[in-house]
Amino acid sequence: LDAPRGTIYDRNGIILAEDIPSFHAYVAYQKWIQGADSEAATQAENDSIDLISQIFSIKQDLIRKTITESQTNQTDVIVKTNLNDREYALFNENASLLAGFYVKRGFKRHYSRGSTLSHVLGYTRLLDKESDQTILAQNPTLHFNDRVGKQGVERYYESILQGEKGTILQKIDALGTVLEEKETKPIQKGNDIYLTIDIVLQEKVESLIKDHVSTMIILNCRSGEILACA
């Protein structure tokens, strides 16, 4: 079970970045490892990939690459993150034809003030094993389905903001029906962070600068706390 990242607040408790519920589409590794053992099975797989391609507007080559990745790493892999209402509805309408794919609830990062302070907050994206070696060294339990901070506060305080996944144990019959379920480890949300930034003052600063070539930094001369910067 995915865990939400910690929330980032300004000095007055105004939310700047938070995790909100979302839906992601996955390749089901266990459904693809057997491979197509007949012409009919091969056609069904091809039809499933074609339909997923249409629903999510993703090239079939990229979908096949994701399937190969899931088989290589022996784990389910995200095909599409943050499904919109149309994509979610179309997937559910065609679920019986989409063997090998499923949708699961997760989270996405929401920046309540839009692009304001984006140069400080940074952003998150799915883990990349090659470019995120430092993050992996700090938290080896992460894998490429997980979101991590890439720049700014999101990256610098990754170890604080990243939550701990929960787990559930399920008993499932041959048709995939869940017969029994129990939680074996609860989800632990990431720790929250309060910045010294005053977001109202920050918005004023950015509105003054606009497209001018200039820099403005406002700080508390007694404590050194940065109140706004752009």
Side-chain angles (χ1 to χ4, degrees):
L1 300 175
D2 292 335
R5 288 173 69 82
T7 302
I8 301 175
Y9 298 90
D10 86 335
R11 68 184 300 111
N12 299 309
I14 296 175
I15 293 176
L16 305 179
E18 63 179 332
D19 268 14
I20 60 175
S22 184
F23 288 96
H24 312 307
Y26 291 77
V27 168
Y29 158 67
Q30 292 291 344
K31 297 283 181 135
W32 289 92
I33 55 175
Q34 298 172 350
D37 53 6
S38 69
E39 185 175 336
T42 300
Q43 186 60 50
E45 289 183 0
N46 289 335
D47 290 345
S48 185
I49 291 171
D50 179 55
L51 191 51
I52 280 288
S53 174
Q54 293 179 45
I55 291 174
F56 296 147
S57 298
I58 301 175
K59 292 182 179 179
Q60 292 189 26
D61 289 347
L62 292 177
I63 296 172
R64 293 183 186 279
K65 181 180 179 181
T66 303
I67 292 171
T68 300
E69 185 178 29
S70 74
Q71 293 172 315
T72 302
N73 293 280
Q74 299 185 2
T75 185
D76 297 357
V77 177
I78 290 178
V79 178
K80 178 75 162 57
T81 61
N82 305 326
L83 307 189
N84 58 39
D85 292 341
R86 176 182 175 278
E87 291 169 336
Y88 183 67
L90 284 173
F91 185 94
N92 286 328
E93 288 174 11
N94 295 279
S96 61
L97 304 174
L98 296 172
F101 299 95
Y102 68 94
V103 167
K104 186 175 76 170
R105 183 173 181 174
F107 300 94
K108 68 177 179 180
R109 205 62 165 162
H110 174 65
Y111 298 94
S112 60
R113 298 286 175 149
S115 62
T116 302
L117 201 67
S118 59
H119 56 295
V120 172
L121 294 174
Y123 63 95
T124 65
R125 73 177 184 191
L126 295 181
L127 179 77
D128 181 86
K129 285 187 174 181
E130 294 183 4
S131 63
D132 295 323
Q133 286 295 322
T134 303
I135 293 176
L136 273 173
Q138 296 171 343
N139 190 349
T141 62
L142 296 173
H143 58 79
F144 45 79
N145 283 335
D146 294 322
R147 289 175 303 118
V148 295
K150 297 301 295 186
Q151 286 187 2
V153 170
E154 295 277 23
R155 171 66 186 88
Y156 191 83
Y157 293 108
E158 168 63 24
S159 61
I160 294 175
L161 291 166
Q162 186 67 245
E164 290 186 22
K165 292 185 176 183
T167 57
I168 56 172
L169 185 64
Q170 295 178 328
K171 178 189 282 188
I172 303 174
D173 66 14
L175 299 177
T177 304
V178 177
L179 304 177
E180 187 179 329
E181 178 177 288
K182 67 176 180 178
E183 182 182 73
T184 57
K185 180 185 176 184
I187 290 172
Q188 185 173 327
K189 180 179 179 290
N191 292 301
D192 298 337
I193 287 178
Y194 283 80
L195 305 183
T196 62
I197 295 290
D198 181 325
I199 195 60
V200 176
L201 186 59
Q202 177 70 31
E203 289 175 336
K204 180 63 176 179
V205 166
E206 292 191 27
S207 71
L208 288 172
I209 290 180
K210 293 184 180 177
D211 297 326
H212 299 298
V213 180
S214 57
T215 298
M216 187 182 296
I217 299 174
I218 300 178
L219 53 82
N220 183 325
C221 61
R222 293 185 177 86
S223 67
E225 292 179 341
I226 296 175
L227 306 179
C229 61

